[in-house]
Amino acid sequence: MKLVRFGPAGKERPGILDANGQVRDISSLVPDIDGKALSPESLRAMRAVSLDALPLVPQGVRLGCPVAQVGKIVGVGLNYSDHAKECGAPIPTTPILFLKPPTAITGPDDTVVLPAGSECSDWEVELGVVIGTEARNVSEEDALAHVAGYCVANDVSERHDQLQLGTQWTKGKSHDTFCPTGPWLVTPDEVGDVQDLKMWCEVNGKRVQDSSTNLMIFNVAQCIADISRYMTLLPGDLIITGTPAGVGLGHKPPVYLRAGDVMTLGIEKLGMQRQVVTEAIETPRVTAIA
């Protein structure tokens, strides 16, 4: 199944794509695509319904993040060896984890707003993994059984805030609109081998990232198992599993986003995103007191 949420921001309704790629309203089945709706029992019930009997949604409707009320976003950093090399970082021997706040989430085609004064904001196409059942201290062998589905995510990152304002990445990863997610949440049965999906990103029509999930250092099962050692993963939580080479930071010299730029990115079987970049109104940054 390909699950979606459609409608104005903050007022999205649950939907599903039919065989013709048209959105059908499933609000008669579930109130929203949240953690409860992603349980195995709920997904089975949705599969049993004849989609032709569900109301059609007008074409061109806005799509939001396909998961409502995401509890937490867990990022896996430097999870592609070519990306680590382009950043001048050593190849990780254990997953590097960071958190992104749910307030960073937007729809797949919503505007990305650069922080006021930003000169180092960057793109990162990533495979998103959405949890369907609680995962705590799970094994690699059992990890994928906890997955409700997969999606595209853009882990937009402000590199100055990420790398120059302390040792943690949170400041550069957390700005509003810095996690476009979707368009679809695709259940594992439609994805097949999640470690063999083509992924790409273009900026202003130029292909800057062109890779595959088969180049991950730590695969999806390993990421889930490792994360679940340190925190409980709950239904509706989102894991973003790292980006391949081609980010702006890795260019010589670095190339970063500016107002008016257009990012287009996608992953095989999971759909495509498109974001226009704008800039926020200037606000003073906090500086150290002498």
Side-chain angles (χ1 to χ4, degrees):
M1 293 186 295
K2 293 183 176 73
L3 302 175
V4 301
R5 296 175 64 248
F6 64 90
K11 297 181 179 180
E12 294 91 345
R13 296 166 65 88
I16 190 170
L17 258 62
D18 65 17
N20 297 317
Q22 294 181 291
V23 177
R24 300 274 181 168
D25 189 328
I26 59 171
S27 56
S28 62
L29 305 178
V30 291
D32 210 340
I33 308 295
D34 55 11
K36 185 176 180 180
L38 296 175
S39 70
E41 297 77 16
S42 177
L43 294 176
R44 278 196 296 269
M46 282 187 250
R47 284 192 185 94
V49 173
S50 172
L51 299 186
D52 292 339
L54 297 172
L56 271 173
V57 174
Q59 294 188 5
V61 68
R62 172 191 174 272
L63 296 182
C65 172
V67 182
Q69 300 176 26
V70 174
K72 55 182 171 289
I73 308 167
V74 186
V76 183
L78 302 176
N79 197 27
Y80 289 74
S81 57
D82 55 357
H83 175 53
K85 290 176 183 176
E86 73 175 349
C87 293
I91 305 301
T93 57
T94 188
I96 297 172
L97 306 181
F98 63 91
L99 293 176
K100 232 173 143 82
T103 49
I105 291 175
T106 60
D109 299 332
D110 290 346
T111 299
V112 167
V113 182
L114 302 183
S118 169
E119 296 183 353
C120 302
S121 290
D122 206 346
W123 56 85
E124 294 191 7
V125 59
E126 306 207 6
L127 171 71
V129 181
V130 176
I131 299 298
T133 58
E134 183 177 306
R136 181 190 299 114
N137 288 318
V138 301
S139 66
E140 290 180 28
E141 293 73 20
D142 295 335
L144 295 185
H146 294 272
V147 174
Y150 301 98
C151 59
V152 183
N154 187 358
D155 180 20
V156 185
S157 306
E158 215 297 339
R159 302 301 186 191
H160 174 270
D161 294 353
Q162 177 187 354
L163 303 173
Q164 303 299 321
L165 299 181
T167 59
Q168 300 296 316
W169 294 355
T170 301
K171 292 180 180 179
K173 298 283 188 176
S174 299
H175 295 287
D176 290 355
T177 76
F178 268 30
C179 194
T181 306
W184 316 318
L185 177 66
V186 185
T187 52
D189 57 296
E190 288 204 15
V191 174
D193 184 0
V194 72
Q195 299 302 154
D196 190 24
L197 302 176
K198 295 177 182 178
M199 59 197 306
W200 55 273
C201 177
E202 295 180 353
V203 178
N204 299 327
K206 179 181 179 182
R207 184 67 58 103
V208 289
Q209 292 183 282
D210 196 354
S211 190
S212 169
T213 58
N214 65 21
L215 296 179
M216 285 183 184
I217 299 171
F218 304 102
N219 64 32
V220 172
Q222 290 171 323
C223 289
I224 294 171
D226 186 75
I227 294 166
S228 75
R229 293 177 57 197
Y230 307 106
M231 66 190 83
T232 299
L233 292 167
L234 298 175
D237 283 349
L238 172 64
I239 300 171
I240 51 177
T241 55
T243 198
V247 301
L249 176 65
H251 285 62
K252 307 298 181 187
V255 177
Y256 294 120
L257 296 168
R258 296 290 182 263
D261 286 346
V262 178
M263 293 181 283
T264 310
L265 54 148
I267 299 178
E268 182 182 3
K269 300 182 180 180
L270 304 183
M272 187 176 75
Q273 303 183 351
R274 182 183 184 274
Q275 297 109 32
V276 176
V277 178
T278 63
E279 188 171 18
I281 299 172
E282 182 70 41
T283 55
R285 291 182 180 240
V286 175
T287 56
I289 299 175

